[in-house]
Amino acid sequence: MRILVTGGAGFIGSHLAERLVKEGHSVVVFDNFSSGKIENLSRILRDVDVVKGDLRSRSDLERAFAGGVDAVFHFAANPEVRVGDPQEHFENNILATYNLLEEMRRRGVRDLVFASTSTVYGEASKLPTPEDYGPMKPISLYGASKLSCEAIISSYAYTFQFKAVALRYANVVGPRAKRGVVRDFVLKLLNNPRELEILGDGTQRKSYVWVEDAVEATLLAWRGTRGGFEAYNVGSEDSITVVEVADIVVEVMGLSGVRYRFTGGVDGGRGWVGDVKYMHLDISKLKSLGWSPRYSSREAVRRAAESALEELRG
Ligand code: NAD
């Protein structure tokens, strides 16, 4: 198939593009390179078509679809989970997704996979949280924009006969990640190996998933869905605290006696306004399709710390 990967030069998108190429698909990477990097595609640069463009521009999108497209994996977004400019989230997530859907509809492309997030649930009272949990009350602009996208995508699925799959990812970690707690800790400890600043009170407990496990889950969900709109949680079986993440990073870096300095955070120890303090997804829906993560949160974080260290040391 000829598959368009929006955000294909980013962290998850580039791993996904690699996997699709390996499976023999013809891949078009569409990215505005705001956070994506051409180096992320170094292993497959000769095998993919790269279209530099922005989802906010309908004419850029026309170029992306020009050579024909059978399916779209929509991974481009403003993935900033901290409070930011509401307009940024609206334009890069909601408007961008609407533009994409319209271009697909116009061209009769009806196969869509969407990168959603665990933050759509907000502060779920049920942990692990299943896909049918409600009411969904996002507490961040990011989570709200992603939930809005899911709603619009679902409406296109039932109004215009799309097959649409949304993956609600936990924290995805691994090589090429440019943000997130693991890289943040490695960077801080390279600068000062004696003291580590930890946002919040350190008791935030979340689930982490290895990027290749997430890609595997994505493809399985795509293949396992026949039509309509389906959402799947993608996470690991366990969750760990931010202090545990710090302990793993310290150990991987071979440090000892590191003093943890907690910022205290906001609103009961959150790292930032809108930070969901406890996140653990129920992954039984995807497991029933035959998927299970190879790594636990702890193992995924350890491997991610090793790769971040390698990347940051150069
Ligand atoms: P990333 O920033 O590495 O990738 C996003 C890519 O989209 C970048 O290459 C960026 O240049 C591109 N992009 C942004 N706005 C664009 C626009 N308007 N037009 C074209 N390209 C644009 O982030 P990531 O961590 O790889 O996230 C990929 C997707 O997965 C995002 O949708 C994100 O919300 C979602 N997600 C990520 C995580 C995670 O832990 N990393 C968790 C849940 C969901």
Side-chain angles (χ1 to χ4, degrees), residues 49-176:
D49 291 330
V50 179
V51 177
K52 185 175 180 197
D54 198 300
L55 281 164
R56 291 167 294 186
S57 154
R58 294 293 284 272
S59 57
D60 284 2
L61 265 168
E62 272 177 31
R63 282 193 292 119
F65 281 79
V69 168
D70 301 307
V72 178
F73 283 65
H74 179 30
F75 280 65
N78 172 11
E80 180 53 65
V81 291
R82 303 191 198 180
V83 193
D85 179 3
Q87 190 153 348
E88 280 278 303
H89 286 286
F90 178 81
E91 289 182 356
N92 287 294
N93 298 350
I94 305 174
L95 177 65
T97 300
Y98 165 72
N99 283 344
L100 177 66
L101 285 165
E102 274 299 277
E103 195 59 29
M104 289 178 71
R105 180 170 78 93
R106 216 166 61 82
R107 293 184 183 255
V109 183
R110 295 203 165 81
D111 194 347
L112 176 66
V113 176
F114 175 61
S116 190
T117 159
S118 63
T119 62
V120 293
Y121 296 114
E123 292 206 289
S125 55
K126 184 170 182 187
L127 295 172
T129 311
E131 288 86 352
D132 58 3
Y133 174 85
M136 288 156 96
K137 292 191 279 186
I139 62 167
S140 62
L141 296 171
Y142 170 71
S145 69
K146 287 286 186 174
L147 183 56
S148 311
C149 291
E150 280 197 25
I152 300 166
I153 290 170
S154 174
S155 74
Y156 270 68
Y158 293 103
T159 310
F160 305 116
Q161 288 73 50
F162 279 41
K163 166 186 141 179
V165 179
L167 288 313
R168 295 178 183 155
Y169 298 112
N171 292 310
V172 183
V173 296
R176 303 178 206 148

Side-chain angles (χ1 to χ4, degrees), residues 211-228:
V211 64
E212 283 169 10
D213 282 341
V215 166
E216 187 76 39
T218 305
L219 294 177
L220 204 78
W222 176 48
R223 292 199 183 100
T225 304
R226 291 279 154 262

